[in-house]
Amino acid sequence: MVNNALNVNDATVNGALADAHITTRGSNWYWTVTAIMAFSSLVFIGMGFMKPRTDRVFHYITASITLVAAISYFTMASNLGWTSIGIEFLRSNPKVSGLTRQIFYVRYIDWFITTPLLLLDLLLTAGLPWPTILFTILLDEIMIVTGLVGALVKSSYKWGFFAFGFAAFFGVVWNVGWTARLHARALGPDVSRVYTLVGVWTLSLWFLYPIAWGLCEGGNVISSDSEAVFYGVLDVLAKPVFGVLLLMGHRNIPAARLGLHIRDYDAVPGTATTTGTTTGAGLGHEKHHNGAGTAAGTTATTATAGHTEPGHTV
């Protein structure tokens, strides 16, 4: 099938031409990533149907990540969702020469939606308290918004926004790499093992995104097609592959173990049913962060500690 996207949607937006823009090769790669993201969404939803309804929260979140990414990549493959921005660093290389560069703002819309969901996957796995989760998500959104604003600025002031975003990124790294890891360890070795795997995987990849930004939107060093490959590979590893690692790790970890007490429609009001058991005694693994706890405003007594503790009620 012939890719006709660039003929239908050319390199002009609102009368402005982008000198450095994707070619058919870049569009073809974006279509490939679109297919990967869409297929992953179906797989994650299918995996969810193999679990009790009360244990599908991570499947729904993960499928939402790849679904939004699929729409974003469909947009970029169609050569839409971009604007033309003046280039700060003019290059002689014909692949990045000219006065303007194509900036895909739809990529940042994608990240603004999907990276908080990805962090939710991670931090709920660790049983992190909600205030810390919300603060980490706020830092993440600062990081994404400042990246977008910087990408849309021609002058050297873009690096000021880059610095703000990088500072916020280190806040995210601290909470994901240190604070949440301690909470995950307290939930048991199996939870700690899953969290460490997906946490290290995510942070290792996320450190590469500022490099990609500096080479693409920031420094105009590599071509738009190379930008497509760089970001596309990172997104595939950070979303579908991350999702597989996370969900496989959650196979034998019920949501209630992490303090997520979700009541099914056929459960008695005031209780949260997970894989056939109700909350209360026997959930001694659920400790101070989210853990052994309540549903619909009730409290449950842990079997081992002999005291009542609050938990997430969903």
Side-chain angles (χ1 to χ4, degrees):
M1 183 176 178
V2 177
N3 182 358
N4 202 36
L6 271 68
N7 294 326
V8 176
N9 305 306
D10 60 19
T12 304
V13 170
N14 297 326
L17 174 68
D19 298 322
H21 56 82
I22 62 169
T23 67
T24 301
R25 289 190 296 273
S27 177
N28 287 340
W29 170 245
Y30 280 139
W31 284 121
T32 301
V33 179
T34 300
I36 294 172
M37 295 295 183
F39 178 74
S40 299
S41 301
L42 295 176
V43 170
F44 297 150
I45 289 293
M47 292 173 66
F49 282 118
M50 299 173 65
K51 301 279 285 185
R53 286 185 295 271
T54 52
D55 283 334
R56 295 177 185 173
V57 58
F58 291 99
H59 298 80
Y60 291 153
I61 294 173
T62 308
S64 299
I65 292 169
T66 50
L67 177 59
V68 172
I71 297 170
S72 169
Y73 274 90
F74 171 85
T75 305
M76 292 186 286
S78 304
N79 203 34
L80 299 170
W82 63 272
T83 189
S84 178
I85 297 298
I87 295 173
E88 178 186 3
F89 300 101
L90 302 179
R91 310 288 182 183
S92 58
N93 185 337
K95 292 185 178 180
V96 291
S97 62
L99 300 177
T100 57
R101 183 183 177 101
Q102 184 179 46
I103 301 296
F104 282 102
Y105 58 80
V106 71
R107 190 193 310 279
Y108 294 87
I109 297 174
D110 168 357
W111 291 340
F112 188 81
I113 299 172
T114 59
T115 55
L117 292 174
L118 197 149
L119 286 173
L120 202 58
D121 258 345
L122 272 175
L123 301 181
L124 288 179
T125 297
L128 206 63
W130 277 111
T132 310
I133 291 176
L134 294 175
F135 180 64
T136 306
I137 289 175
L138 173 64
L139 291 175
D140 170 69
E141 291 181 336
I142 291 173
M143 180 177 70
I144 301 303
V145 170
T146 53
L148 171 59
V149 175
L152 298 178
V153 172
K154 175 184 177 180
S155 70
S156 60
Y157 281 79
K158 69 169 58 189
W159 300 102
F161 291 102
F162 179 84
F164 282 122
F166 210 65
F169 174 55
F170 274 106
V172 173
V173 170
W174 176 261
N175 284 338
V176 172
W178 179 253
T179 307
R181 185 173 59 85
L182 297 179
H183 283 266
R185 183 186 298 173
L187 291 174
D190 52 345
V191 175
S192 179
R193 183 168 51 251
V194 173
Y195 180 79
T196 300
L197 173 62
V198 294
V200 170
W201 178 265
T202 298
L203 291 182
S204 299
L205 292 170
W206 279 24
F207 267 106
L208 297 176
Y209 281 92
I211 297 175
W213 192 94
L215 294 174
C216 303
E217 297 98 325
N220 189 42
V221 176
I222 63 177
S223 69
S224 295
D225 284 348
S226 297
E227 171 187 333
V229 174
F230 200 160
Y231 279 131
V233 170
L234 287 178
D235 279 351
V236 167
L237 294 176
K239 293 172 181 176
V241 176
F242 162 86
V244 171
L245 295 175
L246 179 84
L247 296 180
M248 292 298 290
H250 273 276
R251 282 177 301 175
N252 299 316
I253 302 175
R257 172 92 178 279
L258 308 175
L260 297 169
H261 303 294
I262 303 170
R263 186 175 67 84
D264 205 348
Y265 61 80
D266 56 356
V268 177
T271 64
T273 304
T274 305
T275 59
T277 63
T278 58
T279 60
L283 295 179
H285 286 93
E286 299 166 21
K287 295 189 178 181
H288 51 282
H289 352 274
N290 303 318
T294 69
T298 65
T299 59
T301 304
T302 58
T304 58
H307 61 279
T308 59
E309 300 168 330
H312 293 321
T313 303
V314 181

